Amino acid sequence: QVQLVESGGGLVQAGGSLRLSCAASGRPFRNYAMGWFRQAPGKEREFVAAISSSGVSTNYADSVKDRFTISRDNAKNTVYLQMNSLKPEDTAIYYCAARERTTVKYAYWGQGTQVTVSS
């Protein structure tokens, strides 16, 4: 199994930036594709961004494309989400998730980190 711990959340003004980190431990990090999801109050969890196990391929939700960047450092067992030009609508709990390269389901999840963007 793999354990995931998010960090880097906080309070920021609209237009500001934050970088979230997700530290992985357990099975080799390089074996997993990684994703970021978020859940705002009263809303369903939504996909934010994903990155392949090698880091070559990325995918973004339309709502964050051109503002957020997902990256990973397999040597550090860490995936990042750089968030720029933050908007109040980005306020949510952000979760890191992992899936094996041969599956489509994210089987492992972190506990989440709160991001709050003030207007």
Side-chain angles (χ1 to χ4, degrees):
Q1 61 180 8
V2 61
Q3 294 79 44
L4 306 173
V5 179
E6 303 95 334
S7 62
L11 175 64
V12 64
Q13 292 186 337
S17 299
L18 285 173
R19 189 179 75 161
L20 305 183
S21 298
C22 175
S25 62
R27 293 188 175 184
F29 181 66
R30 64 183 182 275
N31 292 348
Y32 297 92
M34 303 296 297
W36 286 97
F37 296 78
R38 67 186 183 186
Q39 186 167 20
K43 295 186 177 181
E44 296 182 346
R45 183 190 66 187
E46 66 175 343
F47 169 79
V48 175
I51 188 167
S52 63
S53 59
S54 67
V56 173
S57 299
T58 58
N59 188 33
Y60 298 91
D62 288 342
S63 60
V64 306
K65 195 170 185 178
D66 299 324
R67 298 190 299 118
F68 291 9
T69 302
I70 187 171
S71 62
R72 67 190 296 158
D73 187 336
N74 286 351
K76 297 181 178 179
N77 294 339
T78 303
V79 63
Y80 305 94
L81 185 68
Q82 178 67 46
M83 305 184 294
N84 299 326
S85 301
L86 283 163
K87 305 174 181 179
E89 64 195 62
D90 295 319
T91 295
I93 300 175
Y94 283 71
Y95 297 92
C96 176
R99 65 171 176 86
E100 296 180 353
R101 292 177 293 178
T102 57
T103 69
V104 297
K105 180 181 179 180
Y106 288 91
Y108 307 99
W109 296 82
Q111 80 291 330
T113 186
Q114 178 70 49
V115 172
T116 302
V117 184
S118 62
S119 60

